[in-house]
């Protein structure tokens, strides 16, 4: 007997070899997809009637800072330097471990409710984020943020903590947690330190999650310090490879793009954060044309305000159409690939498409809404019309985390209230 059968659904497989089913069935057993078809002879403990809904892979958020939900709306509409130096950094200096747990749990709740089943995160007190992931049932690739700032003593302490975290949590939560090394950026870590991080990551068989060329200021600082940009520095240090997740990648040259392609580097595109902080527009259309694996991320809530990847998909599609003056740039299905297939590839997880043998990380999107009626093209609707709040069911590793809009794994009211109080107390400490 199967664990779950989802029937009467439009099945958006995102599998290029299979195509979609207009009225299909998905069977789940032992955390994996065991059958996809028109009908099944199986019976199951749980049968979900998804008539009028789309079953699709869960979304993958490849760059965020989950605990920064506590900073949602805290310092908006400011210049980057002022935003960081006068607001975010002073607030982060007051963070306690329990704050990170409560903020991360709120992020997990928000992601469950808006269709994200897997995410990549880099921050502080990462044991607490890992505990939140464990409690929520989500899948995550986590890294302790390493900010050396050319301080050898600080760098050694950070790297020691990063290594401890990698080894302590790798494969935890029944394999739902993967760990990575998280050097913040080439303009906040020395070349010597970055080389050490690469050594440790190789030794542990772990990936690297790093911000790259998010701002023009970083580009200029790197050229002044090294006579080369961040991409060329990381290339010369031998850091790039398919196990590297590079966030932002806004200020790239054509030569930079070629390096990323050649090395199989995964890029996390964060359009809303980049727009809000006026960081610039990443050359995503060019990267995709060249064959770079481009994924989608929200960044933290301090520079985005929510973790809704449906909103991120729509923004990405529209931004690159207007930026290239080409309405055919980033069509809906390609953007869906960025948020599912490409994201799963970047994080090295057996998810991202509905296919027999893949992990059962999937969502059910309710299409019976006024803003989704009529529906002539499902992928188009999911990108241009749907919202995270249209997700009715979220399943990770074959476990139902939310059923018919009701979250089963967390106490929604308590998580929300605890985070609200933590945020208020944090700001009070900052202003004391």
């Amino acid at each position: 007997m199967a664990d779950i059968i989802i029937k009467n659904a439009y099945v958006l497989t995102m599998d290029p070899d299979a195509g979609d089913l207009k009225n299909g069935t998905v069977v789940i057993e032992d955390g994996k997809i065991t059958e996809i078809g028109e009908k099944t002879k199986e019976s199951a403990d749980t049968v979900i009637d998804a008539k009028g809904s789309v079953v699709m892979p869960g979304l993958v958020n490849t760059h965020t800072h989950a605990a920064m939900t506590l900073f949602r709306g805290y310092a908006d509409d400011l210049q980057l330097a002022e935003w960081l130096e006068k607001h975010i950094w002073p607030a982060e200096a007051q963070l306690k471990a329990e704050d990170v747990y409560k903020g991360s749990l709120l992020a997990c709740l928000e992601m469950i409710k808006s269709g994200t089943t897997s995410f990549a995160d880099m921050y502080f007190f990462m044991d607490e984020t890992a505990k939140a992931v464990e409690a929520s049932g989500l899948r995550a690739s986590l890294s302790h943020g390493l900010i050396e700032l050319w301080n050898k003593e600080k760098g050694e302490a950070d790297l020691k903590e990063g290594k401890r975290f990698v080894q302590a949590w790798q494969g935890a939560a029944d394999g739902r947690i993967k760990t990575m090394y998280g050097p913040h950026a080439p303009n906040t870590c020395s070349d010597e330190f970055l080389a050490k991080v690469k050594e440790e990551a190789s030794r542990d068989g772990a990936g690297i999650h790093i911000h790259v060329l998010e701002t023009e200021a970083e580009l200029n600082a790197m050229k002044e310090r090294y006579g080369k940009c961040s991409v060329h520095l990381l290339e010369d240090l031998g850091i790039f490879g398919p196990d590297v997740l590079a966030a932002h990648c806004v200020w790239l040259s054509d030569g930079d793009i070629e390096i990323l392609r050649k090395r199989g580097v995964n890029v996390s595109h964060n359009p809303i954060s980049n727009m809000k902080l006026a960081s610039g527009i990443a050359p995503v259309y060019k990267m995709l044309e060249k064959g770079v694996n481009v994924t989608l991320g929200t960044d933290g809530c301090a520079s985005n305000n929510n973790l809704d990847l449906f909103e991120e998909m729509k923004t990405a599609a529209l931004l690159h159409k207007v930026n290239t003056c080409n309405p055919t740039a980033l069509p809906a299905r390609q953007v869906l690939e960025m948020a599912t297939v490409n994201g799963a590839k970047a994080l090295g997880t057996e998810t991202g498409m509905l296919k027999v043998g893949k992990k059962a990380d999937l969502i059910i999107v309710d299409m019976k809404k006024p803003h989704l009626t009529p529906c002539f093209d499902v992928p188009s609707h999911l990108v241009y019309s749907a919202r995270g709040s249209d997700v009715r069911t979220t399943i990770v590793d074959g476990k139902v985390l939310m059923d018919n809009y009701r979250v089963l794994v967390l106490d929604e009211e308590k998580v929300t209230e605890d985070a609200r109080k933590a945020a208020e107390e944090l700001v009070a400490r900052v202003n004391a």
Side-chain angles (χ1 to χ4, degrees):
M1 180 181 282
D3 297 323
I4 300 170
I5 293 174
I6 303 169
K7 64 179 186 178
N8 300 326
Y10 185 106
V11 183
L12 184 79
T13 67
M14 298 308 297
D15 179 356
D17 299 324
D20 305 335
L21 293 172
K22 290 186 177 179
N23 187 11
T25 298
V26 178
V27 181
I28 299 169
E29 189 172 349
D30 294 330
K32 292 189 175 183
I33 296 168
T34 56
E35 187 181 339
I36 299 173
E38 298 290 347
K39 293 181 180 178
T40 180
K41 294 178 181 178
E42 289 273 9
S43 57
D45 296 327
T46 301
V47 178
I48 299 172
D49 189 343
K51 187 176 182 181
S53 299
V54 171
V55 177
M56 63 177 287
L59 304 180
V60 183
N61 184 344
T62 53
H63 182 68
T64 191
H65 311 288
M68 292 188 86
T69 51
L70 299 185
F71 301 137
R72 195 193 312 266
Y74 173 61
D76 287 342
D77 306 325
L78 298 171
Q79 292 290 340
L80 179 60
E82 182 184 357
W83 178 76
L84 273 175
E85 294 166 19
K86 294 187 178 179
H87 298 277
I88 300 303
W89 287 346
E92 287 182 331
Q94 296 294 326
L95 275 172
K96 298 177 180 177
E98 63 202 57
D99 298 326
V100 170
Y101 178 72
K102 291 171 183 176
S104 296
L105 209 55
L106 180 65
C108 290
L109 175 64
E110 183 179 350
M111 286 188 270
I112 289 170
K113 288 175 69 70
S114 57
T116 291
T117 54
S118 181
F119 68 101
D121 198 86
M122 175 203 295
Y123 209 53
F124 319 114
F125 298 109
M126 285 305 289
D127 293 280
E128 304 306 315
T129 300
K131 290 173 189 174
V133 170
E134 198 168 35
S136 71
L138 288 175
R139 193 180 303 281
S141 296
L142 307 177
S143 54
H144 171 72
L146 311 173
I147 306 179
E148 175 230 19
L149 297 171
W150 285 265
N151 180 327
K152 190 172 182 180
E153 191 176 332
K154 184 181 188 308
E156 287 177 358
D158 265 11
L159 190 53
K160 185 178 179 182
E161 172 59 17
K163 188 174 184 68
R164 181 203 65 78
F165 178 77
V166 162
Q167 295 181 339
W169 286 94
Q170 177 60 30
D174 297 321
R176 287 183 288 105
I177 292 176
K178 292 183 68 173
T179 53
M180 305 176 78
Y181 279 83
H184 179 261
N187 63 324
T188 56
C189 298
S190 69
D191 54 348
E192 184 184 354
F193 180 74
L194 290 168
K196 286 181 181 176
V197 171
K198 174 63 177 178
E199 283 177 23
E200 294 300 335
S202 297
R203 195 171 284 130
D204 288 333
I208 292 175
H209 185 176
I210 183 171
H211 301 79
V212 177
L213 288 178
E214 181 176 0
T215 65
E216 188 176 22
E218 177 188 337
L219 175 65
N220 294 335
M222 295 302 289
K223 284 186 172 179
E224 186 176 335
R225 180 180 288 271
Y226 296 109
K228 64 184 82 170
C229 75
S230 300
V231 170
H232 280 74
L233 176 73
L234 294 169
E235 167 72 352
D236 291 347
L237 289 171
I239 286 172
F240 280 147
D243 58 349
V244 173
L245 176 59
H248 301 296
C249 294
V250 175
W251 291 87
L252 300 178
S253 67
D254 289 349
D256 295 335
I257 293 173
E258 176 56 23
I259 288 172
L260 297 178
R261 183 204 65 78
K262 183 174 66 176
R263 297 301 180 196
V265 175
N266 306 286
V267 171
S268 179
H269 178 42
N270 297 211
I272 294 177
S273 175
N274 294 157
M275 292 166 73
K276 190 182 179 203
L277 295 176
S279 299
I281 302 173
V284 166
Y285 186 64
K286 277 188 178 181
M287 284 192 270
L288 289 168
E289 272 195 320
K290 294 292 185 183
V292 176
N293 186 46
V294 184
T295 68
L296 279 179
T298 57
D299 213 341
C301 282
S303 63
N304 183 318
N305 299 63
N306 69 46
L307 302 172
D308 186 347
L309 269 179
F310 280 92
E311 184 176 84
E312 208 76 36
M313 285 194 289
K314 180 175 182 177
T315 302
L318 299 183
L319 174 63
H320 296 288
K321 291 178 195 306
V322 72
N323 187 46
T324 58
C325 293
N326 176 6
T328 70
L330 267 68
R333 192 172 281 270
Q334 187 174 36
V335 177
L336 282 164
E337 286 173 356
M338 291 167 66
T340 56
V341 180
N342 295 8
K345 179 183 176 183
L347 301 189
T349 58
E350 283 296 310
T351 64
M353 65 176 69
L354 304 186
K355 186 174 185 176
V356 172
K358 292 277 190 183
K359 295 278 190 182
D361 288 15
L362 52 87
I363 59 177
I364 303 176
V365 184
D366 185 355
M367 305 296 278
K368 304 184 299 295
K369 302 282 185 77
H371 62 280
L372 296 171
T373 304
C375 181
F376 298 111
D377 186 301
V378 168
S380 174
H381 253 35
L382 290 169
V383 172
Y384 298 119
S385 299
R387 307 163 186 158
S389 55
D390 296 324
V391 176
R392 55 170 269 201
T393 299
T394 301
I395 297 172
V396 176
D397 228 22
K399 181 180 179 181
V400 180
L401 309 186
M402 178 174 73
D403 178 39
N404 203 24
Y405 300 102
R406 187 169 69 91
V407 177
L408 306 178
V409 289
L410 299 172
D411 183 332
E412 186 171 347
E413 189 175 334
K414 184 179 188 307
V415 168
T416 305
E417 182 61 16
D418 285 351
R420 185 190 65 77
K421 284 181 181 176
E424 286 182 358
E425 291 169 5
L426 174 61
V427 173
R429 291 197 299 273
V430 174
N431 296 327

